[in-house]
mmCIF file with all atom_site columns, all heavy atoms in Angstrom:
data_model
loop_
_atom_site.group_PDB
_atom_site.id
_atom_site.type_symbol
_atom_site.label_atom_id
_atom_site.label_alt_id
_atom_site.label_comp_id
_atom_site.label_asym_id
_atom_site.label_entity_id
_atom_site.label_seq_id
_atom_site.pdbx_PDB_ins_code
_atom_site.Cartn_x
_atom_site.Cartn_y
_atom_site.Cartn_z
_atom_site.occupancy
_atom_site.B_iso_or_equiv
_atom_site.pdbx_formal_charge
_atom_site.auth_seq_id
_atom_site.auth_comp_id
_atom_site.auth_asym_id
_atom_site.auth_atom_id
_atom_site.pdbx_PDB_model_num
ATOM 1  N N   . LEU A 1 106 ? -9.641  -13.124 4.947  1.00 98.00 ? 120 LEU A N   1
ATOM 2  C CA  . LEU A 1 106 ? -9.063  -13.537 6.225  1.00 98.00 ? 120 LEU A CA  1
ATOM 3  C C   . LEU A 1 106 ? -8.346  -12.348 6.851  1.00 98.00 ? 120 LEU A C   1
ATOM 4  O O   . LEU A 1 106 ? -7.842  -11.464 6.138  1.00 98.00 ? 120 LEU A O   1
ATOM 5  C CB  . LEU A 1 106 ? -8.059  -14.681 6.003  1.00 98.00 ? 120 LEU A CB  1
ATOM 6  C CG  . LEU A 1 106 ? -8.636  -15.970 5.403  1.00 98.00 ? 120 LEU A CG  1
ATOM 7  C CD1 . LEU A 1 106 ? -7.500  -16.919 4.997  1.00 98.00 ? 120 LEU A CD1 1
ATOM 8  C CD2 . LEU A 1 106 ? -9.579  -16.651 6.395  1.00 98.00 ? 120 LEU A CD2 1
ATOM 9  N N   . LEU A 1 107 ? -8.342  -12.325 8.176  1.00 98.00 ? 121 LEU A N   1
ATOM 10 C CA  . LEU A 1 107 ? -7.578  -11.318 8.923  1.00 98.00 ? 121 LEU A CA  1
ATOM 11 C C   . LEU A 1 107 ? -6.468  -12.062 9.652  1.00 98.00 ? 121 LEU A C   1
ATOM 12 O O   . LEU A 1 107 ? -6.741  -12.990 10.441 1.00 98.00 ? 121 LEU A O   1
ATOM 13 C CB  . LEU A 1 107 ? -8.493  -10.600 9.913  1.00 98.00 ? 121 LEU A CB  1
ATOM 14 C CG  . LEU A 1 107 ? -7.827  -9.627  10.888 1.00 98.00 ? 121 LEU A CG  1
ATOM 15 C CD1 . LEU A 1 107 ? -7.072  -8.504  10.164 1.00 98.00 ? 121 LEU A CD1 1
ATOM 16 C CD2 . LEU A 1 107 ? -8.876  -9.046  11.848 1.00 98.00 ? 121 LEU A CD2 1
ATOM 17 N N   . LEU A 1 108 ? -5.207  -11.715 9.322  1.00 98.00 ? 122 LEU A N   1
ATOM 18 C CA  . LEU A 1 108 ? -4.070  -12.312 10.033 1.00 98.00 ? 122 LEU A CA  1
ATOM 19 C C   . LEU A 1 108 ? -3.772  -11.429 11.233 1.00 98.00 ? 122 LEU A C   1
ATOM 20 O O   . LEU A 1 108 ? -3.674  -10.198 11.107 1.00 98.00 ? 122 LEU A O   1
ATOM 21 C CB  . LEU A 1 108 ? -2.833  -12.384 9.126  1.00 98.00 ? 122 LEU A CB  1
ATOM 22 C CG  . LEU A 1 108 ? -2.959  -13.113 7.779  1.00 98.00 ? 122 LEU A CG  1
ATOM 23 C CD1 . LEU A 1 108 ? -1.588  -13.229 7.122  1.00 98.00 ? 122 LEU A CD1 1
ATOM 24 C CD2 . LEU A 1 108 ? -3.589  -14.484 7.953  1.00 98.00 ? 122 LEU A CD2 1
ATOM 25 N N   . ARG A 1 117 ? -2.645  -15.807 14.426 1.00 98.00 ? 131 ARG A N   1
ATOM 26 C CA  . ARG A 1 117 ? -3.998  -16.395 14.374 1.00 98.00 ? 131 ARG A CA  1
ATOM 27 C C   . ARG A 1 117 ? -4.671  -15.885 13.104 1.00 98.00 ? 131 ARG A C   1
ATOM 28 O O   . ARG A 1 117 ? -4.258  -14.875 12.535 1.00 98.00 ? 131 ARG A O   1
ATOM 29 C CB  . ARG A 1 117 ? -4.849  -15.917 15.570 1.00 98.00 ? 131 ARG A CB  1
ATOM 30 C CG  . ARG A 1 117 ? -4.443  -16.432 16.908 1.00 98.00 ? 131 ARG A CG  1
ATOM 31 C CD  . ARG A 1 117 ? -5.474  -16.055 17.978 1.00 98.00 ? 131 ARG A CD  1
ATOM 32 N NE  . ARG A 1 117 ? -5.751  -14.630 18.090 1.00 98.00 ? 131 ARG A NE  1
ATOM 33 C CZ  . ARG A 1 117 ? -6.883  -14.054 17.725 1.00 98.00 ? 131 ARG A CZ  1
ATOM 34 N NH1 . ARG A 1 117 ? -7.816  -14.768 17.128 1.00 98.00 ? 131 ARG A NH1 1
ATOM 35 N NH2 . ARG A 1 117 ? -7.081  -12.767 17.879 1.00 98.00 ? 131 ARG A NH2 1
ATOM 36 N N   . VAL A 1 118 ? -5.718  -16.573 12.692 1.00 98.00 ? 132 VAL A N   1
ATOM 37 C CA  . VAL A 1 118 ? -6.442  -16.154 11.486 1.00 98.00 ? 132 VAL A CA  1
ATOM 38 C C   . VAL A 1 118 ? -7.934  -16.111 11.801 1.00 98.00 ? 132 VAL A C   1
ATOM 39 O O   . VAL A 1 118 ? -8.450  -17.032 12.434 1.00 98.00 ? 132 VAL A O   1
ATOM 40 C CB  . VAL A 1 118 ? -6.184  -17.137 10.316 1.00 98.00 ? 132 VAL A CB  1
ATOM 41 C CG1 . VAL A 1 118 ? -6.898  -16.653 9.059  1.00 98.00 ? 132 VAL A CG1 1
ATOM 42 C CG2 . VAL A 1 118 ? -4.687  -17.278 10.048 1.00 98.00 ? 132 VAL A CG2 1
ATOM 43 N N   . GLU A 1 119 ? -8.600  -15.041 11.402 1.00 98.00 ? 133 GLU A N   1
ATOM 44 C CA  . GLU A 1 119 ? -10.061 -14.940 11.569 1.00 98.00 ? 133 GLU A CA  1
ATOM 45 C C   . GLU A 1 119 ? -10.705 -14.769 10.194 1.00 98.00 ? 133 GLU A C   1
ATOM 46 O O   . GLU A 1 119 ? -10.172 -14.051 9.338  1.00 98.00 ? 133 GLU A O   1
ATOM 47 C CB  . GLU A 1 119 ? -10.415 -13.749 12.477 1.00 98.00 ? 133 GLU A CB  1
ATOM 48 C CG  . GLU A 1 119 ? -9.938  -13.926 13.918 1.00 98.00 ? 133 GLU A CG  1
ATOM 49 C CD  . GLU A 1 119 ? -10.390 -12.817 14.856 1.00 98.00 ? 133 GLU A CD  1
ATOM 50 O OE1 . GLU A 1 119 ? -11.011 -11.851 14.397 1.00 98.00 ? 133 GLU A OE1 1
ATOM 51 O OE2 . GLU A 1 119 ? -10.097 -12.920 16.061 1.00 98.00 ? 133 GLU A OE2 1
ATOM 52 N N   . LYS A 1 120 ? -11.822 -15.442 10.009 1.00 98.00 ? 134 LYS A N   1
ATOM 53 C CA  . LYS A 1 120 ? -12.570 -15.294 8.745  1.00 98.00 ? 134 LYS A CA  1
ATOM 54 C C   . LYS A 1 120 ? -13.298 -13.950 8.732  1.00 98.00 ? 134 LYS A C   1
ATOM 55 O O   . LYS A 1 120 ? -13.881 -13.540 9.746  1.00 98.00 ? 134 LYS A O   1
ATOM 56 C CB  . LYS A 1 120 ? -13.627 -16.416 8.622  1.00 98.00 ? 134 LYS A CB  1
ATOM 57 C CG  . LYS A 1 120 ? -13.042 -17.730 8.163  1.00 98.00 ? 134 LYS A CG  1
ATOM 58 C CD  . LYS A 1 120 ? -14.117 -18.671 7.652  1.00 98.00 ? 134 LYS A CD  1
ATOM 59 C CE  . LYS A 1 120 ? -14.507 -18.294 6.212  1.00 98.00 ? 134 LYS A CE  1
ATOM 60 N NZ  . LYS A 1 120 ? -14.990 -19.443 5.422  1.00 98.00 ? 134 LYS A NZ  1
ATOM 61 N N   . PHE A 1 180 ? -2.674  -22.368 4.435  1.00 98.00 ? 194 PHE A N   1
ATOM 62 C CA  . PHE A 1 180 ? -1.747  -21.544 5.228  1.00 98.00 ? 194 PHE A CA  1
ATOM 63 C C   . PHE A 1 180 ? -0.350  -22.137 5.112  1.00 98.00 ? 194 PHE A C   1
ATOM 64 O O   . PHE A 1 180 ? -0.163  -23.344 5.299  1.00 98.00 ? 194 PHE A O   1
ATOM 65 C CB  . PHE A 1 180 ? -2.197  -21.511 6.689  1.00 98.00 ? 194 PHE A CB  1
ATOM 66 C CG  . PHE A 1 180 ? -3.597  -20.976 6.866  1.00 98.00 ? 194 PHE A CG  1
ATOM 67 C CD1 . PHE A 1 180 ? -4.488  -21.573 7.733  1.00 98.00 ? 194 PHE A CD1 1
ATOM 68 C CD2 . PHE A 1 180 ? -4.021  -19.874 6.142  1.00 98.00 ? 194 PHE A CD2 1
ATOM 69 C CE1 . PHE A 1 180 ? -5.777  -21.092 7.885  1.00 98.00 ? 194 PHE A CE1 1
ATOM 70 C CE2 . PHE A 1 180 ? -5.310  -19.369 6.285  1.00 98.00 ? 194 PHE A CE2 1
ATOM 71 C CZ  . PHE A 1 180 ? -6.194  -19.994 7.157  1.00 98.00 ? 194 PHE A CZ  1
#
Side-chain angles (χ1 to χ4, degrees):
L120 298 170
L121 173 59
L122 304 187
R131 291 188 304 110
V132 182
E133 294 185 356
K134 280 197 80 152
F194 302 137

